[in-house]
Amino acid sequence: MERMELSDLITLLRECAGESESVNLDGDIMDVLFLDLDYDSLAILQTTGRIERDYEITLDEEAIDAAETPRQYLALVNRVLATRAVV
């Protein structure tokens, strides 16, 4: 896979950290803070570990910590995936 889409990220978030009943992940959530989606740093850490394992990539921990929304997070992941595809 050369690119991760929002639907892929949502699936992994649900699998790794569950889903709050009070949040609709099927809506436009690209710019919603992870905290507002009920995903804390542990949930993001678990999801990041899964992505690194499944996609055989290493993500910059500091950059991942700074990503507060799905859009920011996907940009980081897709940048690494694109780099891997070029090599």
Side-chain angles (χ1 to χ4, degrees):
M1 174 180 289
E2 296 179 15
R3 181 165 181 80
M4 174 176 271
E5 301 296 334
L6 179 60
S7 60
D8 302 317
L9 177 59
I10 290 171
T11 297
L12 289 173
L13 285 167
R14 285 177 170 148
E15 290 176 5
C16 293
E19 180 176 1
S20 172
E21 293 179 12
S22 63
V23 176
N24 178 9
L25 294 178
D26 296 322
D28 182 13
I29 62 164
M30 286 292 280
D31 296 310
V32 178
L33 297 174
F34 281 119
L35 288 176
D36 291 340
L37 297 172
D38 286 342
Y39 291 112
D40 60 12
S41 59
L42 180 58
I44 301 304
L45 180 65
Q46 291 172 325
T47 302
T48 299
R50 174 79 180 273
I51 290 169
E52 288 181 330
R53 187 187 73 215
D54 289 357
Y55 294 90
E56 299 179 350
I57 59 175
T58 301
L59 298 168
D60 181 320
E61 288 182 34
E62 290 183 25
I64 291 296
D65 286 344
E68 296 181 331
T69 66
R71 182 182 307 279
Q72 294 169 343
Y73 189 91
L74 286 169
L76 293 168
V77 171
N78 285 327
R79 188 175 316 130
V80 173
L81 288 173
T83 301
R84 184 183 70 173
V86 171
V87 175

